[in-house]
Amino acid sequence: MKKSILITGGAGFIGSHVVRLFVTKYPEYRIINLDSLTYAGNLLNLTDIEEAENYHFSKVDIQNESALEKVFNQFQITDVIHLAAESHVDRSITDPLAFVNTNVIGTVNLLNVAKNFWPDKEKHLFYHISTDEVYGSLHDGGFFLESTPYDPQSPYSASKASSDHFVRAYANTYKLRTVISNCSNNYGPNQFPEKLIPLCIHNIKNNRPLPIYGKGENVRDWLFVIDHARAIDDIFHTGKDNETYNIGGFNEWKNIDIVRLLCEIMDKKLGRSPGTSAELITFVKDRAGHDLRYAIDASKIKTELGWEPSLTFEIGIEKTVDWYLENEAWLTGVTSGDYQKYYDKHYG
Ligand code: NAD
Ligand code: TYD
């Protein structure tokens, strides 16, 4: 094996796309998907590659040091791509400590295990996946650059910012080779239906209200998840040591416009008359401390590594809607006890 790469959070939304890309594109690499399988982690995301010879799954919590050490030893881990995290802002508002435990303490724990396992640190890479939300909220135009000062506003973004700082501190103090990328909002297949886009697709299909926080004027910059996975591949292989790369699609949308677009697309696909699904739009109480606008300047990754999105938003959102409509069983599985039955049968 040329490399033995530990991908944490590989059963989650973005992680599963990264695992699939690496397992299929690099048969010469051993890929170890390490995930504690919270509500957001589902091996159903990876049924198409679970039999691949170079793929292994390990059910471990990143807060558990001795279990991590065992995995590093068993698979002689050469590199880490770290995605495991609590990822939903609303949950971070009701339970901030869960975010500290996984995103901060779990990350430091993983850094410690990697640092101790790799005496020859220059041969190994610790790649930390982060978010543009660490930069705070844009109010007066402009974009987030890699040099934008950190200004996290939610418990989620504060925990991610903290973990980013620890990664940089380990690079400086212990000479761990690291790289960090901060990406904008992702959308696409396999996203847990608590986030805006899959939640709305699911609710439109089932004629349920579409909750829009505040006036729906908040802006997010959306990137198709497979393009994020491609960027991670490029940064892992050609990124410079201890650098930061922002990843984004130059694709800003107000929440209300995105939800209206989803309604239009789904009216057509479900054979409803125009305007039917939009009647489900319901304005609800705003999220506490709701960040107004995120927007990434992704020039550095384009200029230095040649990465850019492969899909337009129009194509990506259509593919996404089709995927959810064609994968009703996945939606039912991840939101019900069916998933537990699948897990017990395969891994129990
Ligand atoms: P997700 O919630 O879909 O998946 C997270 C995964 O981590 C799940 O499989 C979960 O089981 C696992 N996990 C959680 N706690 C764990 C623990 N203590 N030990 C081991 N595994 C654990 O999240 P996602 O949207 O795929 O995000 C993945 C990463 O990308 C996160 O670090 C997130 O901060 C970052 N990110 C996400 C977005 C986005 O739009 N979703 C954008 C930029 C960056
Ligand atoms: P979300 O998908 O939770 O991602 P993030 O908070 O990390 O950006 O939310 C995207 C945007 O949609 C955000 O501005 C909050 C808003 N939102 C709603 O208006 N209604 C909802 O039900 C959800 C989940 C989000």
Side-chain angles (χ1 to χ4, degrees), residues 290-341:
H290 198 171
D291 286 343
L292 181 64
R293 173 174 167 254
Y294 305 142
I296 280 275
D297 181 336
S299 308
K300 175 176 171 179
I301 186 172
K302 184 175 178 191
T303 316
E304 293 190 10
L305 307 186
W307 174 90
E308 56 186 335
S310 66
L311 282 185
T312 62
F313 186 66
E314 288 67 27
I315 294 177
I317 199 75
E318 187 104 16
K319 272 179 185 272
T320 303
V321 170
D322 287 342
W323 188 86
Y324 283 95
L325 291 179
E326 284 159 16
N327 288 275
E328 187 62 36
W330 178 90
L331 264 178
T332 315
V334 301
T335 50
S336 75
D338 292 358
Y339 172 64
Q340 194 56 44
K341 279 186 223 143

Short mmCIF file of all heavy atoms in Angstrom, two decimals, residues 290-341:
data_model
loop_
_atom_site.label_atom_id
_atom_site.label_comp_id
_atom_site.label_asym_id
_atom_site.label_seq_id
_atom_site.Cartn_x
_atom_site.Cartn_y
_atom_site.Cartn_z
N HIS A 290 -28.16 34.71 13.93
CA HIS A 290 -28.09 34.22 12.54
C HIS A 290 -27.10 35.02 11.69
O HIS A 290 -27.32 36.20 11.43
CB HIS A 290 -29.50 34.33 11.95
CG HIS A 290 -29.73 33.51 10.74
ND1 HIS A 290 -30.97 33.34 10.18
CD2 HIS A 290 -28.88 32.81 9.95
CE1 HIS A 290 -30.88 32.58 9.12
NE2 HIS A 290 -29.61 32.24 8.96
N ASP A 291 -26.04 34.38 11.21
CA ASP A 291 -25.06 35.06 10.35
C ASP A 291 -25.74 35.51 9.06
O ASP A 291 -26.44 34.73 8.41
CB ASP A 291 -23.90 34.11 9.99
CG ASP A 291 -22.95 33.89 11.17
OD1 ASP A 291 -22.99 34.68 12.12
OD2 ASP A 291 -22.18 32.91 11.11
N LEU A 292 -25.49 36.79 8.66
CA LEU A 292 -26.20 37.34 7.51
C LEU A 292 -25.72 36.75 6.18
O LEU A 292 -26.51 36.29 5.38
CB LEU A 292 -26.03 38.87 7.47
CG LEU A 292 -26.76 39.55 6.32
CD1 LEU A 292 -28.28 39.37 6.44
CD2 LEU A 292 -26.41 41.03 6.26
N ARG A 293 -24.41 36.79 5.97
CA ARG A 293 -23.92 36.39 4.64
C ARG A 293 -22.54 35.73 4.75
O ARG A 293 -21.69 36.20 5.51
CB ARG A 293 -23.81 37.64 3.75
CG ARG A 293 -23.17 37.39 2.40
CD ARG A 293 -23.22 38.61 1.49
NE ARG A 293 -22.34 38.43 0.34
CZ ARG A 293 -21.16 39.04 0.18
NH1 ARG A 293 -20.72 39.91 1.09
NH2 ARG A 293 -20.41 38.78 -0.87
N TYR A 294 -22.39 34.64 4.00
CA TYR A 294 -21.07 34.03 3.82
C TYR A 294 -20.75 34.09 2.33
O TYR A 294 -21.62 33.80 1.50
CB TYR A 294 -21.06 32.54 4.21
CG TYR A 294 -21.53 32.18 5.59
CD1 TYR A 294 -22.28 31.03 5.79
CD2 TYR A 294 -21.19 32.94 6.71
CE1 TYR A 294 -22.70 30.64 7.05
CE2 TYR A 294 -21.61 32.57 7.98
CZ TYR A 294 -22.37 31.41 8.14
OH TYR A 294 -22.78 31.03 9.39
N ALA A 295 -19.52 34.41 1.99
CA ALA A 295 -19.11 34.40 0.58
C ALA A 295 -17.60 34.21 0.51
O ALA A 295 -16.84 34.96 1.11
CB ALA A 295 -19.51 35.69 -0.11
N ILE A 296 -17.21 33.18 -0.21
CA ILE A 296 -15.80 32.79 -0.29
C ILE A 296 -15.15 33.35 -1.55
O ILE A 296 -15.74 33.28 -2.63
CB ILE A 296 -15.72 31.24 -0.35
CG1 ILE A 296 -15.86 30.62 1.04
CG2 ILE A 296 -14.47 30.76 -1.03
CD1 ILE A 296 -14.60 30.53 1.83
N ASP A 297 -13.95 33.88 -1.40
CA ASP A 297 -13.12 34.15 -2.57
C ASP A 297 -12.23 32.93 -2.77
O ASP A 297 -11.32 32.68 -1.97
CB ASP A 297 -12.27 35.41 -2.32
CG ASP A 297 -11.41 35.74 -3.54
OD1 ASP A 297 -11.13 34.82 -4.33
OD2 ASP A 297 -11.01 36.92 -3.68
N ALA A 298 -12.54 32.16 -3.81
CA ALA A 298 -11.80 30.90 -4.03
C ALA A 298 -10.71 31.07 -5.09
O ALA A 298 -10.37 30.12 -5.80
CB ALA A 298 -12.79 29.80 -4.43
N SER A 299 -10.13 32.28 -5.18
CA SER A 299 -9.11 32.51 -6.22
C SER A 299 -7.82 31.73 -5.96
O SER A 299 -7.18 31.27 -6.90
CB SER A 299 -8.72 33.99 -6.28
OG SER A 299 -9.84 34.78 -6.40
N LYS A 300 -7.45 31.62 -4.67
CA LYS A 300 -6.14 31.00 -4.38
C LYS A 300 -6.10 29.55 -4.85
O LYS A 300 -5.15 29.13 -5.52
CB LYS A 300 -5.87 31.07 -2.87
CG LYS A 300 -4.60 30.35 -2.45
CD LYS A 300 -4.32 30.52 -0.97
CE LYS A 300 -3.19 29.63 -0.50
NZ LYS A 300 -2.91 29.81 0.92
N ILE A 301 -7.15 28.78 -4.54
CA ILE A 301 -7.13 27.36 -4.94
C ILE A 301 -7.18 27.23 -6.46
O ILE A 301 -6.59 26.33 -7.04
CB ILE A 301 -8.26 26.56 -4.22
CG1 ILE A 301 -8.12 25.07 -4.54
CG2 ILE A 301 -9.64 27.07 -4.55
CD1 ILE A 301 -9.04 24.18 -3.74
N LYS A 302 -7.84 28.18 -7.11
CA LYS A 302 -7.89 28.14 -8.58
C LYS A 302 -6.52 28.47 -9.18
O LYS A 302 -6.00 27.75 -10.03
CB LYS A 302 -8.94 29.13 -9.10
CG LYS A 302 -9.09 29.05 -10.58
CD LYS A 302 -10.19 29.91 -11.12
CE LYS A 302 -10.21 29.77 -12.64
NZ LYS A 302 -11.07 30.74 -13.27
N THR A 303 -5.91 29.54 -8.68
CA THR A 303 -4.63 29.97 -9.25
C THR A 303 -3.53 28.98 -8.92
O THR A 303 -2.72 28.62 -9.78
CB THR A 303 -4.24 31.34 -8.64
OG1 THR A 303 -5.39 32.15 -8.63
CG2 THR A 303 -3.14 32.01 -9.41
N GLU A 304 -3.48 28.54 -7.65
CA GLU A 304 -2.33 27.71 -7.23
C GLU A 304 -2.50 26.24 -7.56
O GLU A 304 -1.53 25.55 -7.85
CB GLU A 304 -2.08 27.90 -5.73
CG GLU A 304 -1.62 29.31 -5.42
CD GLU A 304 -1.13 29.46 -3.98
OE1 GLU A 304 -0.96 28.45 -3.27
OE2 GLU A 304 -0.94 30.63 -3.58
N LEU A 305 -3.74 25.72 -7.45
CA LEU A 305 -3.92 24.28 -7.64
C LEU A 305 -4.76 23.94 -8.88
O LEU A 305 -4.95 22.77 -9.20
CB LEU A 305 -4.56 23.65 -6.40
CG LEU A 305 -3.88 23.92 -5.04
CD1 LEU A 305 -4.53 23.11 -3.94
CD2 LEU A 305 -2.38 23.62 -5.09
N GLY A 306 -5.30 24.96 -9.53
CA GLY A 306 -6.06 24.71 -10.76
C GLY A 306 -7.45 24.14 -10.52
O GLY A 306 -8.11 23.67 -11.45
N TRP A 307 -7.93 24.19 -9.26
CA TRP A 307 -9.27 23.64 -8.97
C TRP A 307 -10.34 24.68 -9.26
O TRP A 307 -10.16 25.86 -8.95
CB TRP A 307 -9.38 23.22 -7.50
CG TRP A 307 -10.79 22.79 -7.13
CD1 TRP A 307 -11.32 21.54 -7.21
CD2 TRP A 307 -11.87 23.64 -6.67
NE1 TRP A 307 -12.65 21.54 -6.83
CE2 TRP A 307 -13.01 22.82 -6.48
CE3 TRP A 307 -11.97 25.01 -6.40
CZ2 TRP A 307 -14.23 23.33 -6.04
CZ3 TRP A 307 -13.19 25.51 -5.95
CH2 TRP A 307 -14.30 24.66 -5.78
N GLU A 308 -11.44 24.24 -9.85
CA GLU A 308 -12.65 25.07 -9.89
C GLU A 308 -13.85 24.13 -9.96
O GLU A 308 -13.71 22.96 -10.30
CB GLU A 308 -12.62 26.06 -11.06
CG GLU A 308 -12.44 25.47 -12.42
CD GLU A 308 -12.27 26.58 -13.47
OE1 GLU A 308 -12.74 27.69 -13.25
OE2 GLU A 308 -11.68 26.28 -14.51
N PRO A 309 -15.04 24.65 -9.63
CA PRO A 309 -16.23 23.77 -9.63
C PRO A 309 -16.45 23.17 -11.01
O PRO A 309 -16.20 23.82 -12.02
CB PRO A 309 -17.38 24.71 -9.26
CG PRO A 309 -16.74 25.88 -8.59
CD PRO A 309 -15.38 26.02 -9.18
N SER A 310 -16.92 21.92 -11.05
CA SER A 310 -17.14 21.26 -12.34
C SER A 310 -18.58 21.45 -12.81
O SER A 310 -18.88 21.21 -13.97
CB SER A 310 -16.86 19.76 -12.21
OG SER A 310 -17.81 19.17 -11.36
N LEU A 311 -19.46 21.86 -11.91
CA LEU A 311 -20.89 21.93 -12.22
C LEU A 311 -21.45 23.32 -12.00
O LEU A 311 -21.06 23.99 -11.05
CB LEU A 311 -21.66 21.06 -11.23
CG LEU A 311 -21.70 19.56 -11.40
CD1 LEU A 311 -22.62 18.98 -10.35
CD2 LEU A 311 -22.18 19.20 -12.77
N THR A 312 -22.39 23.73 -12.80
CA THR A 312 -23.13 24.96 -12.48
C THR A 312 -24.14 24.60 -11.39
O THR A 312 -24.50 23.44 -11.20
CB THR A 312 -23.91 25.48 -13.70
OG1 THR A 312 -24.87 24.47 -14.04
CG2 THR A 312 -23.00 25.77 -14.87
N PHE A 313 -24.63 25.63 -10.71
CA PHE A 313 -25.61 25.39 -9.66
C PHE A 313 -26.90 24.81 -10.26
O PHE A 313 -27.52 23.92 -9.66
CB PHE A 313 -25.92 26.70 -8.93
CG PHE A 313 -26.81 26.51 -7.74
CD1 PHE A 313 -26.38 25.80 -6.64
CD2 PHE A 313 -28.09 27.04 -7.73
CE1 PHE A 313 -27.20 25.61 -5.53
CE2 PHE A 313 -28.92 26.87 -6.62
CZ PHE A 313 -28.47 26.15 -5.53
N GLU A 314 -27.28 25.29 -11.45
CA GLU A 314 -28.52 24.82 -12.08
C GLU A 314 -28.48 23.29 -12.28
O GLU A 314 -29.44 22.58 -12.00
CB GLU A 314 -28.74 25.51 -13.44
CG GLU A 314 -29.15 26.98 -13.36
CD GLU A 314 -28.05 27.90 -12.79
OE1 GLU A 314 -26.85 27.58 -12.92
OE2 GLU A 314 -28.42 28.95 -12.21
N ILE A 315 -27.31 22.80 -12.73
CA ILE A 315 -27.19 21.35 -12.94
C ILE A 315 -27.11 20.62 -11.60
O ILE A 315 -27.76 19.61 -11.37
CB ILE A 315 -25.95 21.03 -13.82
CG1 ILE A 315 -26.19 21.60 -15.22
CG2 ILE A 315 -25.68 19.53 -13.88
CD1 ILE A 315 -25.02 21.42 -16.17
N GLY A 316 -26.32 21.19 -10.68
CA GLY A 316 -26.12 20.53 -9.38
C GLY A 316 -27.41 20.39 -8.59
O GLY A 316 -27.68 19.35 -7.99
N ILE A 317 -28.23 21.43 -8.62
CA ILE A 317 -29.46 21.39 -7.80
C ILE A 317 -30.47 20.42 -8.41
O ILE A 317 -31.17 19.69 -7.72
CB ILE A 317 -30.05 22.82 -7.58
CG1 ILE A 317 -30.99 22.84 -6.38
CG2 ILE A 317 -30.72 23.37 -8.81
CD1 ILE A 317 -30.32 22.82 -5.06
N GLU A 318 -30.48 20.38 -9.74
CA GLU A 318 -31.36 19.43 -10.43
C GLU A 318 -30.94 17.98 -10.10
O GLU A 318 -31.77 17.13 -9.79
CB GLU A 318 -31.22 19.69 -11.94
CG GLU A 318 -32.16 18.93 -12.81
CD GLU A 318 -33.32 19.79 -13.35
OE1 GLU A 318 -33.24 21.02 -13.29
OE2 GLU A 318 -34.29 19.18 -13.81
N LYS A 319 -29.64 17.73 -10.15
CA LYS A 319 -29.13 16.39 -9.81
C LYS A 319 -29.49 16.03 -8.37
O LYS A 319 -29.81 14.88 -8.04
CB LYS A 319 -27.59 16.38 -9.88
CG LYS A 319 -26.98 16.05 -11.22
CD LYS A 319 -25.45 16.11 -11.08
CE LYS A 319 -24.74 15.93 -12.39
NZ LYS A 319 -24.47 14.54 -12.72
N THR A 320 -29.40 17.04 -7.50
CA THR A 320 -29.67 16.82 -6.08
C THR A 320 -31.14 16.45 -5.86
O THR A 320 -31.46 15.46 -5.18
CB THR A 320 -29.31 18.08 -5.27
OG1 THR A 320 -27.94 18.38 -5.54
CG2 THR A 320 -29.52 17.90 -3.79
N VAL A 321 -32.03 17.23 -6.48
CA VAL A 321 -33.47 16.93 -6.33
C VAL A 321 -33.75 15.52 -6.87
O VAL A 321 -34.41 14.71 -6.21
CB VAL A 321 -34.32 17.98 -7.08
CG1 VAL A 321 -35.78 17.54 -7.13
CG2 VAL A 321 -34.20 19.35 -6.42
N ASP A 322 -33.19 15.20 -8.05
CA ASP A 322 -33.42 13.86 -8.63
C ASP A 322 -32.95 12.78 -7.66
O ASP A 322 -33.62 11.77 -7.46
CB ASP A 322 -32.67 13.71 -9.96
CG ASP A 322 -33.34 14.51 -11.08
OD1 ASP A 322 -34.52 14.87 -10.91
OD2 ASP A 322 -32.68 14.78 -12.10
N TRP A 323 -31.77 13.01 -7.06
CA TRP A 323 -31.22 11.99 -6.16
C TRP A 323 -32.18 11.73 -4.98
O TRP A 323 -32.47 10.58 -4.65
CB TRP A 323 -29.83 12.39 -5.64
CG TRP A 323 -29.20 11.26 -4.88
CD1 TRP A 323 -28.47 10.23 -5.39
CD2 TRP A 323 -29.31 11.01 -3.47
NE1 TRP A 323 -28.10 9.36 -4.40
CE2 TRP A 323 -28.61 9.81 -3.21
CE3 TRP A 323 -29.93 11.66 -2.41
CZ2 TRP A 323 -28.51 9.26 -1.93
CZ3 TRP A 323 -29.84 11.12 -1.14
CH2 TRP A 323 -29.13 9.93 -0.89
N TYR A 324 -32.68 12.79 -4.38
CA TYR A 324 -33.57 12.60 -3.22
C TYR A 324 -34.89 11.95 -3.65
O TYR A 324 -35.43 11.10 -2.92
CB TYR A 324 -33.83 13.92 -2.47
CG TYR A 324 -32.64 14.31 -1.61
CD1 TYR A 324 -31.67 15.18 -2.08
CD2 TYR A 324 -32.47 13.76 -0.33
CE1 TYR A 324 -30.56 15.52 -1.30
CE2 TYR A 324 -31.37 14.09 0.45
CZ TYR A 324 -30.42 14.98 -0.04
OH TYR A 324 -29.33 15.30 0.73
N LEU A 325 -35.37 12.31 -4.84
CA LEU A 325 -36.63 11.71 -5.29
C LEU A 325 -36.43 10.22 -5.60
O LEU A 325 -37.32 9.40 -5.36
CB LEU A 325 -37.18 12.44 -6.52
CG LEU A 325 -37.69 13.86 -6.26
CD1 LEU A 325 -38.18 14.51 -7.55
CD2 LEU A 325 -38.78 13.89 -5.19
N GLU A 326 -35.23 9.89 -6.09
CA GLU A 326 -34.98 8.48 -6.44
C GLU A 326 -34.53 7.66 -5.24
O GLU A 326 -34.41 6.44 -5.33
CB GLU A 326 -33.87 8.41 -7.52
CG GLU A 326 -34.36 8.79 -8.90
CD GLU A 326 -33.21 9.21 -9.82
OE1 GLU A 326 -32.03 8.93 -9.50
OE2 GLU A 326 -33.51 9.86 -10.85
N ASN A 327 -34.22 8.30 -4.14
CA ASN A 327 -33.67 7.57 -2.98
C ASN A 327 -34.52 7.77 -1.72
O ASN A 327 -34.00 8.02 -0.64
CB ASN A 327 -32.22 7.98 -2.73
CG ASN A 327 -31.29 7.42 -3.79
OD1 ASN A 327 -30.84 6.28 -3.68
ND2 ASN A 327 -31.06 8.18 -4.84
N GLU A 328 -35.81 7.58 -1.92
CA GLU A 328 -36.76 7.69 -0.81
C GLU A 328 -36.37 6.71 0.31
O GLU A 328 -36.47 7.03 1.50
CB GLU A 328 -38.16 7.38 -1.34
CG GLU A 328 -39.30 7.61 -0.36
CD GLU A 328 -39.45 9.07 0.09
OE1 GLU A 328 -39.21 9.98 -0.73
OE2 GLU A 328 -39.80 9.28 1.27
N ALA A 329 -35.87 5.53 -0.08
CA ALA A 329 -35.53 4.51 0.93
C ALA A 329 -34.37 5.00 1.80
O ALA A 329 -34.33 4.74 3.01
CB ALA A 329 -35.15 3.20 0.25
N TRP A 330 -33.43 5.74 1.20
CA TRP A 330 -32.31 6.29 1.98
C TRP A 330 -32.85 7.27 3.02
O TRP A 330 -32.49 7.21 4.20
CB TRP A 330 -31.32 7.00 1.05
CG TRP A 330 -30.16 7.63 1.77
CD1 TRP A 330 -28.96 7.03 2.06
CD2 TRP A 330 -30.09 8.97 2.30
NE1 TRP A 330 -28.15 7.92 2.74
CE2 TRP A 330 -28.82 9.11 2.90
CE3 TRP A 330 -30.97 10.04 2.32
CZ2 TRP A 330 -28.39 10.29 3.52
CZ3 TRP A 330 -30.56 11.23 2.94
CH2 TRP A 330 -29.29 11.35 3.53
N LEU A 331 -33.75 8.15 2.57
CA LEU A 331 -34.32 9.15 3.48
C LEU A 331 -35.06 8.47 4.64
O LEU A 331 -34.88 8.84 5.80
CB LEU A 331 -35.33 10.03 2.72
CG LEU A 331 -34.82 11.35 2.18
CD1 LEU A 331 -35.92 12.07 1.43
CD2 LEU A 331 -34.30 12.25 3.30
N THR A 332 -35.86 7.47 4.30
CA THR A 332 -36.60 6.76 5.35
C THR A 332 -35.61 6.07 6.28
O THR A 332 -35.74 6.12 7.50
CB THR A 332 -37.52 5.69 4.71
OG1 THR A 332 -38.17 6.29 3.62
CG2 THR A 332 -38.53 5.17 5.71
N GLY A 333 -34.59 5.46 5.66
CA GLY A 333 -33.59 4.73 6.46
C GLY A 333 -32.89 5.63 7.47
O GLY A 333 -32.80 5.31 8.64
N VAL A 334 -32.39 6.79 7.01
CA VAL A 334 -31.59 7.63 7.91
C VAL A 334 -32.44 8.36 8.94
O VAL A 334 -31.92 8.89 9.92
CB VAL A 334 -30.69 8.66 7.16
CG1 VAL A 334 -29.74 7.96 6.22
CG2 VAL A 334 -31.50 9.73 6.44
N THR A 335 -33.75 8.39 8.70
CA THR A 335 -34.60 9.09 9.67
C THR A 335 -35.43 8.10 10.49
O THR A 335 -36.34 8.49 11.20
CB THR A 335 -35.55 10.08 8.96
OG1 THR A 335 -36.20 9.40 7.89
CG2 THR A 335 -34.80 11.28 8.38
N SER A 336 -35.12 6.80 10.38
CA SER A 336 -35.91 5.82 11.14
C SER A 336 -35.01 4.71 11.67
O SER A 336 -33.82 4.70 11.46
CB SER A 336 -36.96 5.19 10.22
OG SER A 336 -36.31 4.28 9.36
N GLY A 337 -35.62 3.76 12.33
CA GLY A 337 -34.89 2.64 12.92
C GLY A 337 -34.37 1.66 11.87
O GLY A 337 -33.62 0.74 12.20
N ASP A 338 -34.75 1.83 10.59
CA ASP A 338 -34.30 0.89 9.55
C ASP A 338 -32.77 0.84 9.47
O ASP A 338 -32.17 -0.18 9.20
CB ASP A 338 -34.80 1.30 8.16
CG ASP A 338 -36.29 1.14 8.05
OD1 ASP A 338 -36.89 0.68 9.05
OD2 ASP A 338 -36.85 1.50 6.99
N TYR A 339 -32.16 2.00 9.70
CA TYR A 339 -30.71 2.07 9.58
C TYR A 339 -30.05 1.18 10.62
O TYR A 339 -29.06 0.50 10.34
CB TYR A 339 -30.23 3.52 9.72
CG TYR A 339 -28.73 3.57 9.80
CD1 TYR A 339 -27.96 3.16 8.72
CD2 TYR A 339 -28.09 3.97 10.96
CE1 TYR A 339 -26.59 3.16 8.79
CE2 TYR A 339 -26.71 3.98 11.04
CZ TYR A 339 -25.97 3.58 9.95
OH TYR A 339 -24.61 3.57 10.03
N GLN A 340 -30.61 1.15 11.85
CA GLN A 340 -30.05 0.32 12.92
C GLN A 340 -30.07 -1.16 12.50
O GLN A 340 -29.10 -1.89 12.71
CB GLN A 340 -30.83 0.53 14.22
CG GLN A 340 -30.12 -0.02 15.45
CD GLN A 340 -28.71 0.57 15.62
OE1 GLN A 340 -28.54 1.77 15.47
NE2 GLN A 340 -27.73 -0.28 15.89
N LYS A 341 -31.15 -1.55 11.83
CA LYS A 341 -31.25 -2.95 11.39
C LYS A 341 -30.14 -3.25 10.38
O LYS A 341 -29.49 -4.29 10.44
CB LYS A 341 -32.63 -3.19 10.73
CG LYS A 341 -33.72 -3.43 11.74
CD LYS A 341 -35.02 -3.82 11.00
CE LYS A 341 -36.20 -3.08 11.63
NZ LYS A 341 -37.21 -2.65 10.68
#
